[in-house]
Amino acid sequence: MTTQPQTGAHPGPISTQTERVLRDFVRDAVSHLSEALKDSAPEFEDGARWERGTDGHFRERKKRLRTLWPMLSDEWLRSLPGYQTCVECLKSDVVVGPHLDRLVGTSMSSSRLEANNILKSLMYAALDDEGRLAFTDERFHGKWRELASFFGASQIASKMVAPLPRLVIPAFPLRLNNELVLDRLTDDEVTRCYQVGVIRPDSLRSPLIYGDVAVGIRRTTFLPKLIRRDDEPHKPPEAVDEGSFGNRPLFRDDLVIDDVLSALRLLKHTQIRAAGCASWTDSHWLKDGTSFRVLGQWPYWGKFELSEGEVPQFLELWRLLEEGAKRFGFSIHRFNLAFDRGLLADRIVDFVIAAESLFLGDLNIQDRGELRFRFALRAAKFIEHPNYGEHDVFRIMRQAYDARSSIVHGGSPKETRLPDNQSTKLSTFIDAIEELVRIGLRKALSMKEDGKKMRQAEYWDTLVFSNPNP
């Protein structure tokens, strides 16, 4: 095997001789190509890109991209003076040479790289916005710096973006860990998300993507750069487990999105959602393909605003989730699921299941009598609500348990009164349950390692009774 993972130090900068030889060849090649094309009508391909304006909103900019094919072919390049010398210089360069005539990429994707790819890329850089072909040192060196950065890198970035429309934060970006940030999306990110259907203008009559829509999750993962022969079998990444909160495998972008949404929803009530995500390899040679996953239908109108004072609270909650979400993973998962349900009845079921997992996790099959009473009593003793006392919490959670039981047996909730509202609508009652479960989960997370005790009957006996039996 000659697969070469490029990790650690690379052999140094690309030779200045390589750069000089390429510059001279490309300058002459552009001159020859301009002369060959002067009597022919230029051909263009239509393209489009979403660009942020001075007002912060994105508008689609139509762009015509001039094609130099079929004149700029491999055969034509080989016919130019100095071509062979240029290719030999590239192959002998200690940095560029190992990449040539090899499949270059990562464990996720790769593409064959030849000397002609480099030469054509440098020649296309000589085109201006109007499609005029003219060599300039500025254009050459701009593209060359991009290529040199790729050849000298030991890693290649894999990027995932999931728009969270109308997420408002005092200052972007907000970093969650080494891979994840909440940030405004770039022109390229908005363009890719639009192309795969996970971001849209609010109206087809007004083709405008508002700046407060073009925000969301960005995950950047750096993978080792791999260089291999054509005849070497490609071993795709093996399926792994689900990882941990905030640190998910590459193929589980859906879990990354769930983690962020779980944290936002555990902080406070919100209707914010993600319509989906787009992912790609962020490399000069591998940037054309964009994979995507649609998670819901556009548009989403829920707004989530973090105040300056809430940012530290959110980051602390995120740290607690990274450290302890595994202990309460099922409860957090069911709590999060409730926000994406279309039916109120489904939301009740999810919230109560989340609470059951939290408050009845110590019970075995033989010890499940009086579940309704234990469920409500433990919740009342554990949850510290700013407005409801223990008796209030007990009654609400008992009603929630009854409502869940009625629903799963084909009925409907009968008792939905709240202590401060005797004519409560079902949706308001569900919001009260949501808030109680949220407070319970956050308290459980704040217990850190002591959260394990919630799986022990002795913990609940001590909490419920002033003098529990030994």
Side-chain angles (χ1 to χ4, degrees), residues 266-312:
L266 280 168
L267 184 72
K268 59 182 179 180
H269 177 75
T270 176
Q271 290 300 318
I272 196 167
R273 298 183 184 180
C277 63
S279 56
W280 63 94
T281 302
D282 199 21
S283 158
H284 175 76
W285 299 112
L286 304 167
K287 64 183 179 181
D288 290 337
T290 304
S291 58
F292 65 96
R293 179 175 297 190
V294 177
L295 301 174
Q297 293 184 346
W298 190 270
Y300 287 145
W301 301 105
K303 182 178 181 180
F304 188 96
E305 184 168 0
L306 275 179
S307 67
E308 265 192 64
E310 288 173 327
V311 170

Side-chain angles (χ1 to χ4, degrees), residues 4 13 41 65 117 188 219 239 252 321 377 386 436:
Q4 303 172 43
L65 307 172
N117 300 135
D188 180 58
R219 182 194 194 191
R252 298 308 306 270
L321 284 163
L377 179 61
L436 289 172

Side-chain angles (χ1 to χ4, degrees), residues 45-49 60-65:
E45 291 180 350
D46 292 329
R49 178 179 173 84
E60 191 175 27
R61 179 188 173 194
K62 302 293 185 182
K63 190 174 182 181
R64 294 198 310 161
L65 307 172

Side-chain angles (χ1 to χ4, degrees), residues 185-202:
L185 305 187
T186 66
D187 293 3
D188 180 58
E189 290 166 351
V190 170
T191 299
R192 288 179 181 270
C193 288
Y194 174 81
Q195 289 170 343
V196 299
V198 296
I199 199 169
R200 285 281 183 259
D202 286 345

Side-chain angles (χ1 to χ4, degrees), residues 78-95:
R78 293 189 191 101
S79 71
L80 296 177
Y83 169 80
Q84 198 58 44
T85 300
C86 184
V87 171
E88 289 172 0
C89 183
L90 284 169
K91 289 185 175 182
S92 64
D93 189 276
V94 293
V95 178

Side-chain angles (χ1 to χ4, degrees), residues 17 139 165 168 190 212 223 232 359 381 388-389 409 442:
Q17 179 186 1
R139 292 176 196 161
V168 181
V190 170
D212 63 348
L223 304 175
E232 290 183 56
F359 298 127
K381 288 292 186 178
Y388 296 149
H409 290 101
R442 289 184 60 176

